[in-house]
Amino acid sequence: MAMTDSLQSDKSLLEAALAQNDRAGIEGLLGKRRSADVAELLEEFVEEDDDEAAAIALLESLSPERSGNVFSYLRDETQQRLAVGMADQPLVTLLEEMGSDERADFFNLVSEDRREDLLRRMARHEREEVLLLASYEKGSAGALMTADYVAIPVGLSVSQAMMRVRQTAPDAETVYQVYIIDGVGRLKGTLSLRQLIVARPGAAVAELMIQNVIHTRVDAEQEDVAKLVARYDLLAVPVVDDAERLVGIVTHDDALDVVEAEATEDIHKGMSIGQLETGVSRVPLWSLYRKRIVWLVLLVFGNLFSGAGIAFFEDTIAAQVALVFFLPLLIGSGGNAGAQAATLTVRGMATGDVGVRDWGKLMGRELLVAGALGLTMALAVAPIGLARGGDTVAIVVAVSMITIVLFGSLLGMCLPFLLDRLGWDPATASAPLVTTVIDACGVVIYFGIARHLLALG
């Protein structure tokens, strides 16, 4: 992890303060920094220096509230390592200051025995809350949501609602949106804090609230929740259970984390790499090898078909050796065009811009665009064919370029739809997979056209 000069300087000063047990000096240095920056310093102590004791000492020098905030910024692996070296009570004190969703995520990281020890020391309300949030399936809205939100009964006036907001706001993750519930906790409406502030104090909340609330269910996919936040520009999405009871909210910052994770996963799949457990700089070498080798080996055997195609057309190649010069150019162009089409389609499907219903429309558009691309590239390469092998070779190269680019583009566009119909992730239509298929088919197309036109010539 790269650090700025300022953070590196603070780290050196902190090391000196730790050596002298200068708690006042430690507090002075860390007090100037934001929680995310302090977390970066702790990551350095743990990962670079392998000094968990120093990181724990720094955490414990902070106030409980600040310590919990810093701890929430640490990576999962770092949280696990620090938790091993911390006693139960200091760790519980720290956890109590974290958001409910972050606390639940941490509990899913520790061993069952340690989890039980920590739960016994927690207040009943927090214990029940963390058990509920930790029970939801990973990847669902329930696992992503937080229980720290502002909710008020439907029968209050604006002045009463403001008083309730003041009481609950200190523990809420966001106060800009207030949710209105009935006597059994069902979501009935919502109001922005701005609406409450400008409303007449005696007005009834029920008359002011927005009743058609955009919400999601606890078992919804995290990616779908993130799309909901992006589509409607929401600060938070309320989450309800099967009985329409409000059980939590997913805030926009958590939704952004999901978007980043999903985009990273799609990029990895797009280059035939399995999902990494952590960042590329920290993933174990064996894991990095294992995630990459499977597809590479499969693609090696896929490329054998290209060799078989060349062997099949040995007579054609012998008759016109100049054809070999253009082989890498043609299949490379087809592979590039196919990879572009696949990338556009996969991304369009990921963002919801296109779906299976749009296949026919996209096919027509791609046919026109790919035809124009192939024709342009054919005109660019035809003079080289003329110079290398004469009129016949120039025609072979030009016709092959148009055909291969058309084929590659249409294959790249259609493959994600086919995979989606089979129930596979469309992102599996990776650039290496598309180019390997097009390479093998491009060899057959090129030399097939060459054999036919040379025979005519």
Side-chain angles (χ1 to χ4, degrees), residues 108-169:
N108 285 327
L109 298 176
V110 299
S111 66
E112 188 173 345
D113 290 342
R114 187 71 191 279
R115 193 181 309 163
E116 292 296 327
D117 292 339
L118 296 174
L119 287 172
R120 279 196 294 267
R121 295 176 178 270
M122 297 180 70
R124 178 181 175 182
H125 171 71
E126 291 173 338
R127 181 168 61 247
E128 293 175 348
E129 187 178 79
V130 74
L131 287 173
L132 175 64
L133 293 179
S135 68
Y136 291 113
E137 184 179 356
K138 186 177 182 181
S140 67
L144 184 65
M145 71 184 185
T146 177
D148 302 327
Y149 56 89
V150 178
I152 59 175
V154 69
L156 300 183
S157 66
V158 168
S159 60
Q160 292 171 326
M162 286 299 297
M163 185 177 298
R164 184 68 63 92
V165 169
R166 293 188 189 98
Q167 293 170 347
T168 57

Side-chain angles (χ1 to χ4, degrees), residues 29 46 49 61 88 92 95 130 147 157 178-179 212 219 227 236 247 279 288 296 300 318 325 372 378 390 422 425:
L29 287 169
V46 174
D49 304 337
S61 70
D88 288 345
V92 168
L95 292 174
V130 74
S157 66
V178 179
Y179 301 98
N212 186 21
D219 56 355
K227 288 178 180 178
V247 292
L288 192 59
L296 288 177
V300 164
F325 176 82
L422 294 174
D425 190 339

Side-chain angles (χ1 to χ4, degrees), residues 53-365:
I56 292 172
L58 291 176
L59 266 181
E60 294 179 346
S61 70
L62 303 171
S63 66
E65 181 180 359
R66 184 84 189 282
S67 181
N69 198 16
V70 169
F71 195 78
S72 67
Y73 279 102
L74 298 175
R75 287 191 285 265
D76 291 349
E77 316 90 79
T78 307
Q79 289 184 354
Q80 287 178 295
R81 291 178 64 176
L82 294 183
V84 170
M86 295 182 69
D88 288 345
Q89 190 53 55
L91 184 56
V92 168
T93 301
L94 178 152
L95 292 174
E96 288 174 344
E97 299 298 333
M98 293 172 63
S100 58
D101 54 335
E102 295 161 342
R103 188 162 53 235
D105 291 340
F106 171 78
F107 267 80
N108 285 327
L109 298 176
V110 299
S111 66
E112 188 173 345
D113 290 342
R114 187 71 191 279
R115 193 181 309 163
E116 292 296 327
D117 292 339
L118 296 174
L119 287 172
R120 279 196 294 267
R121 295 176 178 270
M122 297 180 70
R124 178 181 175 182
H125 171 71
E126 291 173 338
R127 181 168 61 247
E128 293 175 348
E129 187 178 79
V130 74
L131 287 173
L132 175 64
L133 293 179
S135 68
Y136 291 113
E137 184 179 356
K138 186 177 182 181
S140 67
L144 184 65
M145 71 184 185
T146 177
D148 302 327
Y149 56 89
V150 178
I152 59 175
V154 69
L156 300 183
S157 66
V158 168
S159 60
Q160 292 171 326
M162 286 299 297
M163 185 177 298
R164 184 68 63 92
V165 169
R166 293 188 189 98
Q167 293 170 347
T168 57
D171 297 323
E173 187 159 335
T174 178
V175 298
Y176 300 111
Q177 204 69 29
V178 179
Y179 301 98
I180 295 91
I181 55 176
D182 63 13
V184 293
R186 288 191 296 260
L187 180 64
K188 305 305 291 184
T190 184
L191 278 173
S192 69
L193 184 60
R194 178 179 181 277
Q195 287 175 293
L196 278 178
I197 292 173
V198 301
R200 182 171 52 84
V205 166
E207 297 176 356
L208 299 173
M209 69 182 185
I210 299 171
Q211 297 185 33
N212 186 21
V213 185
I214 298 170
H215 64 278
T216 189
R217 294 193 176 274
V218 290
D219 56 355
E221 295 287 335
Q222 289 185 356
E223 188 174 2
D224 293 335
V225 179
K227 288 178 180 178
L228 204 62
V229 172
R231 177 170 183 172
Y232 296 105
D233 294 327
L234 303 174
L235 291 175
V237 177
V239 182
V240 300
D241 60 15
D242 293 336
E244 299 295 327
R245 291 188 298 262
L246 180 63
V247 292
I249 62 171
V250 175
T251 55
H252 69 284
D253 56 326
D254 289 329
L256 285 174
D257 291 339
V258 171
V259 171
E260 181 182 3
E262 292 291 340
T264 300
E265 182 181 349
D266 286 346
I267 291 171
H268 288 167
K269 287 182 178 178
M271 293 307 297
S272 299
I273 301 171
Q275 185 174 359
L276 303 179
E277 297 84 1
T278 183
V280 66
S281 64
R282 300 179 302 279
V283 66
L285 293 179
W286 166 248
S287 181
L288 192 59
Y289 166 82
R290 183 167 49 86
K291 296 294 184 181
R292 297 172 63 180
I293 192 60
V294 175
W295 269 108
L296 288 177
V297 171
L298 292 175
L299 295 175
V300 164
F301 287 101
N303 285 320
L304 290 177
F305 290 101
S306 299
I310 293 174
F312 182 79
F313 289 101
E314 283 182 350
D315 293 342
T316 304
I317 296 172
Q320 186 58 266
V321 179
L323 295 173
V324 177
F325 176 82
F326 296 96
L327 179 60
L329 181 151
L330 290 169
I331 63 175
S333 298
N336 291 337
Q340 285 183 341
T343 299
L344 290 171
T345 304
V346 168
R347 189 56 186 163
M349 295 176 74
T351 59
D353 183 43
V354 297
V356 176
R357 66 186 181 280
D358 302 307
W359 178 84
K361 175 183 177 182
L362 291 179
M363 173 67 81
R365 290 167 58 88

Side-chain angles (χ1 to χ4, degrees), residues 313 316 322-335 337 370-371 373-379 381-382 385 391-409 438-439 441-454:
F313 289 101
T316 304
L323 295 173
V324 177
F325 176 82
F326 296 96
L327 179 60
L329 181 151
L330 290 169
I331 63 175
S333 298
L373 292 173
L375 181 60
T376 304
M377 297 167 75
L379 292 173
V381 77
D391 295 347
T392 304
V393 171
I395 293 172
V396 168
V397 171
V399 173
S400 297
M401 177 67 80
I402 296 172
T403 307
I404 291 173
V405 169
L406 264 172
F407 173 80
S409 298
I438 294 173
D439 284 354
C441 295
V443 168
V444 176
I445 292 171
Y446 176 38
F447 289 121
I449 292 174
R451 172 181 285 184
H452 180 69
L453 293 181
L454 288 174

